[in-house]
Amino acid sequence: TSERSAFISITNSQYDINKSIEIYQEAWVPKIELAEQSIEVEFEPAQYTVDVTSPYSWEATTKNDWIVVESETGIAGEEVLRFSTKRNEEEKERKGTITLKNSDYNLVAELYIIQKSFVPIITIEPESLNFTIEGGTQEIAITANFEYEFSTEVDWLTIEKSESGIKVTVPNY
């Protein structure tokens, strides 16, 4: 773990040549290396992995309650850090950190996590209904990544939640 140096001598006694070359080698500095320094993740919950290389064992922790470290320790060599994220309900991105540490050799590495902001998505199919004069019931499929409510300002139709969206019932006119 310290720098080292040496000399190479080039000599020839017949021509009285005496040259030297100085060689330096930097010190080996033990460190925990991450395949990625930062990672951008989706707002939906998911699991992720990052490759870790370390000459010594390590422990992984986070202070962020939306990050769950699943592989809290790793051994020397090549390992995989596994973590998951909870859903980001905010309409703004959030940032967090996982810290990998070896206290015996004072080694620290940090993985920065940027979680995208929540984007509300809703699809409605069909977007309009036509009823005959006899009325009836028709279904509207609704897919959303958030909880929704439904209502109407008229008293002549009934709306009920269904498995795939809502059921609209119109009476005979």
Side-chain angles (χ1 to χ4, degrees):
T1 58
S2 59
E3 181 180 287
R4 60 186 178 179
S5 63
F7 288 95
I8 298 174
S9 298
I10 311 290
T11 59
N12 182 297
S13 56
Q14 178 182 350
Y15 300 111
D16 195 27
I17 293 178
N18 190 8
K19 298 281 184 182
S20 63
I21 302 167
E22 197 168 7
I23 307 294
Y24 290 100
Q25 186 175 27
E26 64 185 23
W28 174 68
V29 179
K31 59 185 170 190
I32 299 172
E33 294 183 73
L34 300 168
E36 299 175 68
Q37 300 302 308
S38 67
I39 185 169
E40 187 173 32
V41 299
E42 295 300 322
F43 72 88
E44 291 289 2
Q47 293 183 327
Y48 300 92
T49 60
V50 174
D51 293 333
V52 179
T53 305
S54 176
Y56 306 110
S57 62
W58 47 266
E59 293 179 358
T61 59
T62 185
K63 294 179 181 175
N64 304 100
D65 62 355
W66 55 273
I67 300 171
V68 178
V69 178
E70 295 169 2
S71 52
E72 295 179 345
T73 60
I75 60 173
E78 293 182 16
E79 281 283 319
V80 175
L81 170 66
R82 289 180 175 77
F83 68 95
S84 61
T85 55
K86 295 178 182 175
R87 181 182 166 124
N88 185 359
E89 299 285 346
E90 304 279 327
E91 290 189 62
K92 62 181 181 177
E93 74 178 20
R94 60 185 174 183
K95 298 175 183 176
T97 306
I98 295 176
T99 303
L100 283 74
K101 186 179 200 178
N102 177 295
S103 299
D104 294 339
Y105 296 96
N106 200 27
L107 304 179
V108 176
E110 291 186 319
L111 174 66
Y112 299 101
I113 301 164
I114 302 145
Q115 188 174 34
K116 293 179 182 178
S117 61
F118 173 75
V119 177
I121 299 170
I122 188 167
T123 58
I124 300 170
E125 183 63 38
E127 291 188 6
S128 66
L129 297 176
N130 291 316
F131 288 87
T132 64
I133 195 166
E134 290 84 21
T137 300
Q138 295 184 43
E139 187 129 352
I140 297 175
I142 300 175
T143 305
N145 64 359
F146 56 91
E147 292 295 320
Y148 60 88
E149 297 161 4
F150 49 88
S151 63
T152 183
E153 295 176 0
V154 297
D155 62 357
W156 54 267
L157 60 88
T158 307
I159 309 168
E160 296 176 50
K161 187 161 183 72
S162 70
E163 202 172 295
S164 62
I166 59 173
K167 283 183 186 178
V168 179
T169 303
V170 175
N172 187 353
Y173 194 36

